[in-house]
C-alpha cells in the first residue's frame, strides 16, 4: 500500500477520471493529495466523502508523497516530474513528453508489467490510440508474431481535452441552428466533419499522433522490427476512439483463433456478431475500462492477414485507467 | 444529342441532383421526362424554367425515349430497366442491382469510357465508395499496376438516403437536448457515433458494401488480380465520403510521382499541404463533382506502398455526376 499519493493535474479531463477511478477501485493508499496549476490551487474538491484543498504544483511539492500520478500537458510533465523522481516518488505520467525517452518505462499493465516493476524513474502511460491497439496486438504477437500493422483511426474529440468536446457539441448546435461557431481546439470545423490530422507534421508526411502509434508500439512490445502504417483521423464523436486494424503475422491466424486469443487476454472483450449487427460502438463502450474488439475477419488481401475493429474509452483505458492500473501493479509489488 | 431523356427516380436524393446537373451542365438533349413511383406521379416540378408533371414508372413508359438515367432502389431497377433496354433506350443505372451482372457495363467515364460505348444493354454506375477510390487508383494502376488495396471508409449518412441525413440531424438535436430519438435508417444511433457496418453480412465476415469495393473495382479496372481489403464505416457526417487508402503497386511510386499522376488525371484534385493543415475535408468537398486527394505519403510499412486520404461528394461523383457524365459520353458518340 502507498502512504501518500499525489494526483497531479487533478482538475483536467483525464485527472477528473483518475480521481473517480481511485475512489471506485479503492486504490491501495493511505492518503491522497491533489495538485494542479496555480489557477486551480486553493479550490476544494470532495474525494471519498472528504473535502480536499487543491495544492499548487511546484518543484518542491512532492516531499512526503511516495506515488505521483500525473495527467498534465507535455511541458508541465517535462518541467515538474524530474523533481518528483528526485524526491523519491514512483512517478506515473500520462503526458507524451517522457514516453520515448531512454530509461523511461512505457507500460500497459496487461502487456509489459515487468517494465513498470523494473523502472528506476518515470513510468509513462502510452498515447490513447496506441494503448488500445497494442493491447489488441499483444495476444496476436505472442501467438504468431506481428510483422505489420495498417491502422486507420476514428478518434473522439475528448482526446483534444475538455475544449475538444465543447467544440463538438457547441459547433454542432450552432450548425443545426444555422449559426456560426469559432472552433478553439481544432483548425477545421469538427461538427459533421472528419479531420485527417491529429498533431503537427512530424516526418515523411506523418503526424505526431501517427508516429506515436509506430514508435510507442515498438517500445511497449519490445520489438523494433514491427512495421506500423497509421492514419489518424478526428471524427465527430465525443468519447471513445475506434480503430480499423489490419495485421500481418508471421503465420496465419484464423478469425476463430484470434477470437479465442482475444477472449483469453485480460482487458479485452469481444463483441462480434455481424449478422445481428453486434460490434463495439463508441456509444456502448463509453465509460468502460476495457478494450472492445469486433468485426474479426480474414484479411481477404493477404493469407497471413487479419482485420478487426477496436473501440475503447480513450479517457479511461487510453489514459486514466491505464495509469491507475500501473499504480495498482506497483502497489502489489511494494 | 439525345432526343428524349427519361429521368427515373426523379424525386429521390440522387434523382434531385441528377435534375440539377442536367440543368447546370446543359445536358445535350431535346426533351426531358421525369418518372417516379405512383406515389409521386402527377406532382409538378420545374426544370429549365418549365413545369413538368411527374409520370408514373411502368414497364411500357419508355417508348419515345432514347436515354434513361435511373436512380432507384435495387428492386425497382431490377423490375423496370430491362423494359427500357427492350424499348431501345440507352440505360444508365445508379442502383446496385445490375452492376456485377454478365453483359452489363460498369463505368466511370474517366476510367473505362470504352466499356460504355461498347455496351449493348444497361450501363451501371458504380457504388459511391468504389467510384472515388477507383478514380484515385486508375492513374496509379496505369503507371505501376495496383496489386493490393487496404481501405477504411468514413461514409456520410446521405449514402443511406434522405432518411439517413434526417436521422443524423434529428438524432443529433435530440442528443444535444437530452431527448430520445428513434433511428429509422440505422440499426444503431449515428449521432456522435461510428457504425462499422454498411449493408448486411455477405461473405467471410465482410458486408455487402465492403465486397462491392472489391468486385466492382476489379470489374471497372478489368483486372481480377487486384486484392482489396475494405472496412466500411458510417460516420456522423451528412455528405461526402472519406477514405483512408493504402495501395501496394508492382513498382514503388514516390509521393511526388503520385502527386503528379493524380494532378494529371481528369476528375481529380490534389489538396495536400499538411504543414498548413490543408487536405480534403467533407465540409469543403461538398457540392463538387471532383474526387479530392491529400495526405499523400509513403507507406512506411512497405517499400512498394503509398497511403493517401480521398474525399468526394457521394451524391455527386459517387452517384448523380457519374451517371450524367456517362450520358454526356454517350451523347458525344451518338
Amino acid at each position: 500500500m502507498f502512504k501518500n499519493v499525489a494526483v497531479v493535474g487533478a482538475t483536467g479531463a483525464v485527472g477528473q477520471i483518475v480521481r473517480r477511478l481511485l475512489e471506485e477501485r479503492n486504490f491501495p493508499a493511505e492518503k491522497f493529495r491533489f495538485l494542479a496549476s496555480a489557477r486551480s490551487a486553493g479550490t476544494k474538491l470532495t474525494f471519498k466523502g472528504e473535502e480536499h484543498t487543491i495544492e499548487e504544483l511546484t518543484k518542491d511539492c512532492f516531499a512526503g508523497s511516495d506515488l505521483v500520478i500525473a495527467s498534465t500537458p507535455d511541458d508541465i510533465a517535462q518541467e515538474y516530474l524530474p523533481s518528483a523522481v528526485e524526491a523519491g516518488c514512483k512517478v506515473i505520467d500520462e503526458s507524451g513528453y517522457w514516453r520515448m525517452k531512454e530509461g523511461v518505462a512505457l507500460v500497459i499493465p496487461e502487456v509489459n508489467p515487468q517494465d513498470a516493476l523494473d523502472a528506476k524513474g518515470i513510468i509513462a502511460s502510452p498515447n490513447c490510440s496506441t494503448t488500445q491497439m497494442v493491447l489488441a496486438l499483444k495476444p496476436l504477437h505472442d501467438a504468431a508474431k506481428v510483422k505489420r500493422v495498417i491502422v486507420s483511426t476514428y478518434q473522439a474529440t475528448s482526446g483534444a481535452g475538455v475544449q475538444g468536446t465543447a467544440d463538438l457539441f457547441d459547433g454542432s448546435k450552432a450548425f443545426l441552428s444555422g449559426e456560426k461557431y469559432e472552433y478553439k481546439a481544432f483548425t477545421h470545423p469538427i461538427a459533421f466533419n472528419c479531420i485527417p490530422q491529429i498533431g503537427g507534421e512530424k516526418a515523411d508526411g506523418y503526424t505526431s499522433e501517427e508516429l506515436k502509434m509506430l514508435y510507442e508500439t515498438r517500445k511497449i512490445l519490445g520489438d523494433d522490427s514491427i512495421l506500423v502504417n497509421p492514419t489518424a483521423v478526428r471524427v465527430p464523436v465525443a468519447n471513445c476512439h475506434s480503430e480499423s486494424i489490419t495485421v500481418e503475422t508471421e503465420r496465419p491466424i484464423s478469425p476463430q483463433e484470434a477470437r479465442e486469443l482475444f477472449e483469453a487476454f485480460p482487458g479485452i472483450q469481444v463483441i462480434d456478431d455481424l449478422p445481428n449487427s453486434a460490434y463495439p460502438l463508441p456509444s456502448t463502450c463509453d465509460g468502460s475500462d476495457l478494450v472492445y474488439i469486433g468485426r474479426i475477419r480474414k484479411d481477404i488481401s493477404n493469407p497471413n492477414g487479419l482485420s478487426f475493429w477496436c473501440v475503447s474509452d480513450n479517457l479511461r483505458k487510453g489514459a486514466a485507467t491505464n495509469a491507475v492500473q500501473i499504480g495498482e501493479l506497483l502497489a502489489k509489488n511494494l
Side-chain angles (χ1 to χ4, degrees), chain A:
Chain A
M1 181 174 271
F2 284 104
K3 292 206 178 350
N4 186 311
V5 177
V7 179
V8 173
T11 56
V14 175
Q16 289 175 34
I17 299 179
V18 168
R19 281 193 274 132
R20 200 181 313 152
L21 288 166
L22 294 173
E23 285 179 323
E24 277 175 19
R25 300 167 73 99
N26 200 22
F27 189 86
E30 288 168 20
K31 283 191 175 171
F32 296 87
R33 304 163 60 199
F34 302 94
L35 299 104
S37 63
R39 198 161 39 101
S40 296
T43 61
K44 313 276 185 190
L45 60 80
T46 304
F47 181 81
K48 289 191 166 185
E50 281 177 32
E51 195 176 76
H52 290 256
T53 303
I54 295 174
E55 301 171 51
E56 184 179 347
L57 176 65
T58 62
K59 285 188 183 167
D60 52 13
C61 72
F62 298 105
S65 287
D66 51 353
L67 175 68
V68 171
I69 301 178
S71 323
T72 73
D74 287 7
D75 55 337
I76 304 296
Q78 176 185 7
E79 190 173 347
Y80 293 95
L81 297 190
S83 313
V85 174
E86 279 166 34
C89 304
K90 301 264 184 199
V91 179
I92 301 166
D93 177 32
E94 308 204 49
S95 86
Y97 184 77
W98 293 102
R99 289 177 194 145
M100 293 306 299
K101 303 283 186 231
E102 200 62 41
V104 169
L106 184 62
V107 173
I108 304 171
E110 297 91 336
V111 175
N112 58 337
Q114 197 57 45
D115 289 348
L117 301 179
D118 294 344
K120 298 277 177 288
I122 292 167
I123 302 167
S125 184
N127 175 47
C128 47
S129 51
T130 307
T131 301
Q132 69 186 75
M133 179 177 82
V134 172
L135 193 50
L137 293 180
K138 175 64 173 169
L140 307 178
H141 191 56
D142 287 347
K145 194 178 174 337
V146 169
K147 291 175 65 181
R148 183 184 177 205
V149 182
I150 293 171
V151 53
S152 293
T153 71
Y154 302 68
Q155 292 184 236
T157 54
S158 62
V162 172
Q163 185 59 50
T165 299
D167 269 3
L168 173 64
F169 289 148
D170 294 346
S172 298
K173 274 178 206 166
F175 183 96
L176 290 167
S177 49
E179 287 158 22
K180 291 222 166 186
Y181 178 78
E182 202 173 310
Y183 287 89
K184 294 161 197 81
F186 302 108
T187 313
H188 304 287
I190 187 60
F192 307 110
N193 212 10
C194 293
I195 306 176
Q197 178 184 9
I198 300 180
E201 183 175 20
K202 192 85 179 178
D204 304 322
Y206 286 80
T207 63
S208 56
E209 180 81 1
E210 288 162 351
L211 292 184
K212 287 174 189 175
M213 296 182 79
L214 167 60
Y215 293 116
E216 294 185 14
T217 297
R218 288 179 172 175
K219 181 165 177 172
I220 300 162
L221 293 177
D223 185 343
D224 281 351
S225 72
I226 295 175
L227 300 164
V228 184
N229 177 357
T231 303
V233 180
R234 188 77 68 189
V235 295
V237 167
N239 197 38
C240 291
H241 292 347
S242 304
E243 297 179 346
S244 166
I245 299 176
T246 291
V247 185
E248 181 179 326
T249 45
E250 210 161 68
R251 67 158 178 88
I253 298 185
S254 72
Q256 184 51 33
E257 184 186 356
R259 199 166 287 118
E260 287 164 11
L261 290 168
F262 288 140
E263 280 172 346
F265 202 78
I268 294 178
Q269 187 165 326
V270 173
I271 303 176
D272 192 19
D273 182 7
L274 180 58
N276 289 306
S277 298
Y279 28 70
L281 298 166
S283 61
T284 52
C285 300
D286 191 30
S288 163
D289 293 317
L290 300 174
V291 169
Y292 292 85
I293 297 178
R295 293 296 321 270
I296 303 166
R297 60 204 197 274
K298 232 190 132 31
D299 171 0
I300 46 173
S301 72
N302 180 0
N304 282 22
L306 184 84
S307 292
F308 57 92
W309 174 253
C310 172
V311 181
S312 188
D313 185 326
N314 51 298
L315 296 182
R316 287 193 162 240
K317 185 58 187 171
T321 301
N322 197 64
V324 171
Q325 287 171 330
I326 294 172
E328 291 169 346
L329 171 68
L330 296 177
K332 254 189 246 160
N333 291 274
L334 279 176

